[in-house]
Amino acid sequence: MLGALWMVYFSFGLAVFSMAPLVETIRESLGMSKGAMGAVLGAWPLVYLVAALPSGALVDRLGLRRSLGIATVLISISALLRPIAGNFAAMFGAVAIFGLGGPLVSVGAPKLLSVWFDNKERALAMGITMTAPALGGVLPLVTANSLLMPAFDQNWRTTLLAYALITVAVIAVWLLVATAAEKIAPEVDRAIDPAPGFSGAWELLSHRAVQIMLVVALGMFFFTHSLNGWLPTVIEDRGFSSSVAGYLAGAVTALGIIGALLGPRAIPESRRTSAMAALFALYGVATVLLNVDGKPATFVGLAIIGLSKGLAVPVALLVLMQLPGVAQRNMGAAGGLFFTAGEAGGVTGPILFGVFSDIGGSSAGLVLLAGVAMATAVLALLLRTAMAPPMASGLPSRSTPPGLE
């Protein structure tokens, strides 16, 4: 199941990043401003924002096989429609469809890990899972402008179609593996006593730590989604060619794989919130370095972003599993809340970065991201404080989430 989930998340990352190295080419081909292109990049987070909470309830009710199967189909439809888009509206709609399938993956992944792995295995499984979207993102970043575009006579439509066909193949992989797993362990696919839909989410919102975590998610996704779409353009603005920018953006994602594999398991449970705060502070430092003249500063900034990026989401999801009120039975609802709040930042981030870039170049967008990163670091410290009273009461921290006891 971990391998099949990995493939699903790989297609997720591929769909998210497939347009990034081709942003300027697509923008010029369709006659869009940078602000309009930012709106396209923010289209799927906009739909995701609305769909995330219902997706949490859907995963809890339908089970993993069905919900993640639906997700792979929607991701493939989005990927297949992008190469045939002829204007802003068509491209916006094609990208937006991904927002219906994406949250099912984002919510379903931690749900699957919570029910198939115990507490000791979960951090490693989370790290392995998070390498998938990173590798899915590396593929287009390193092959689009250097390999496929030259091979297809600089045709961005054919290039996107090649990536789309990979997402179609993942549908068969998931259905085969998940169907076999459901037959072996039918009681695992769906919780015996799932949280009652949206009421599970409202119950979670009564916890202050959950509330703070949702604002942290908003800041984190604002930052990461902005860079997901605009990083190759930022690198080009630092004097690099489009192909070199693709390689460097791919290297950033590759560093994220290292962070995702090694980091979550190495960080003790009691220090995860402090680690989150440090990661966001590093994000801020990195964006400042990207604004400094000189390629050495660019290289250092990109390296910091890469290593931090691989750690941020898996550590945040592990912290989410520790929050008061979060258990196996309502993990779908908790994930739905997390990604709903996060995609509020995911929607506004790419758009505002594009608007700022239209006004003052990518340097203005980077200043915006530095401020968001530092504010999120402060919020992560507040989260640690909100979680402190139960730990200070003398009671041992619970290593096994409710529902697995």
Side-chain angles (χ1 to χ4, degrees):
M1 283 296 283
L2 183 61
L5 177 64
W6 194 96
M7 288 299 298
V8 172
Y9 237 138
F10 179 88
S11 70
F12 179 106
L14 180 60
V16 169
F17 283 92
S18 61
M19 292 177 59
L22 305 171
V23 162
E24 287 302 306
T25 302
I26 296 171
R27 185 179 71 81
E28 293 173 3
S29 174
L30 299 182
M32 294 187 292
S33 68
K34 288 187 176 181
M37 192 66 207
V40 168
L41 295 174
W44 71 262
L46 179 63
V47 177
Y48 191 123
L49 174 65
V50 177
L53 190 55
S55 294
L58 192 66
V59 169
D60 285 336
R61 292 293 181 180
L62 286 185
L64 297 166
R65 180 176 67 86
R66 295 169 183 81
S67 56
L68 289 174
I70 293 170
T72 58
V73 171
L74 290 170
I75 289 171
S76 295
I77 292 173
S78 172
L80 288 169
L81 288 177
R82 297 176 195 186
I84 63 175
N87 52 42
F88 166 79
M91 183 62 80
F92 185 94
V95 174
I97 290 174
F98 177 85
L100 297 173
L104 290 170
V105 179
S106 300
V107 174
K111 175 82 172 184
L112 186 148
L113 297 179
S114 72
V115 299
W116 279 88
F117 298 91
D118 61 28
N119 193 54
K120 294 180 180 179
E121 300 171 323
R122 201 171 293 144
L124 177 60
M126 180 70 74
I128 293 172
T129 300
M130 289 302 160
T131 65
L135 282 171
V138 166
L139 182 63
L141 290 173
V142 302
T143 62
N145 287 307
S146 62
L147 180 62
L148 294 187
M149 286 288 280
F152 296 137
D153 195 26
Q154 302 301 315
N155 190 318
W156 62 267
R157 296 181 186 277
T158 309
T159 299
L160 288 183
L161 179 61
Y163 297 134
L165 294 177
I166 298 175
T167 67
V168 173
V170 172
I171 298 173
V173 173
W174 171 257
L175 292 178
L176 287 172
V177 175
T179 300
E182 189 178 40
K183 291 178 180 179
I184 294 172
E187 74 285 354
V188 174
D189 184 65
R190 278 182 280 183
I192 296 173
D193 181 27
F198 293 106
S199 65
W202 286 114
E203 179 185 347
L204 288 168
L205 283 173
S206 65
H207 298 277
R208 178 168 173 75
V210 172
Q211 296 167 6
I212 297 174
M213 186 64 181
L214 298 184
V215 185
V216 169
L218 186 150
M220 177 172 64
F221 280 61
F222 186 105
F223 187 98
T224 57
H225 279 296
S226 297
L227 285 184
N228 283 348
W230 290 105
L231 186 58
T233 302
V234 169
I235 297 172
E236 287 182 42
D237 288 347
R238 272 36 191 185
F240 296 90
S241 68
S242 60
S243 59
V244 172
Y247 282 124
L248 289 176
V252 169
T253 307
L255 285 174
I257 296 170
I258 297 174
L261 277 175
L262 302 180
R265 194 178 184 186
I267 300 172
E269 182 178 330
S270 61
R271 297 187 179 273
R272 286 172 182 160
T273 50
S274 298
M276 277 202 311
L279 288 171
F280 296 131
L282 286 172
Y283 271 153
V285 171
T287 51
V288 171
L289 288 172
L290 290 180
N291 254 337
V292 174
D293 290 334
K295 292 184 178 179
T298 300
F299 291 140
V300 174
L302 292 175
I304 293 173
I305 288 173
L307 291 172
S308 302
K309 185 178 179 181
L311 274 170
V313 174
V315 170
L317 288 173
L318 289 169
V319 171
L320 179 68
M321 295 178 186
Q322 295 175 230
L323 295 182
V326 177
Q328 176 185 319
R329 64 186 293 270
N330 64 359
M331 190 61 216
L337 284 171
F338 178 86
F339 287 105
T340 296
E343 290 307 337
V347 170
T348 54
I351 296 173
L352 287 180
F353 191 97
V355 171
F356 272 58
S357 296
D358 275 333
I359 297 171
S362 61
S363 293
L366 290 172
V367 171
L368 170 67
L369 293 189
V372 171
M374 291 303 184
T376 308
V378 174
L379 286 168
L381 292 177
L382 291 176
L383 177 62
R384 183 182 64 178
T385 302
M387 296 174 67
M391 297 181 182
S393 66
L395 296 175
S397 62
R398 178 168 49 197
S399 60
T400 304
L404 294 182
E405 297 169 344

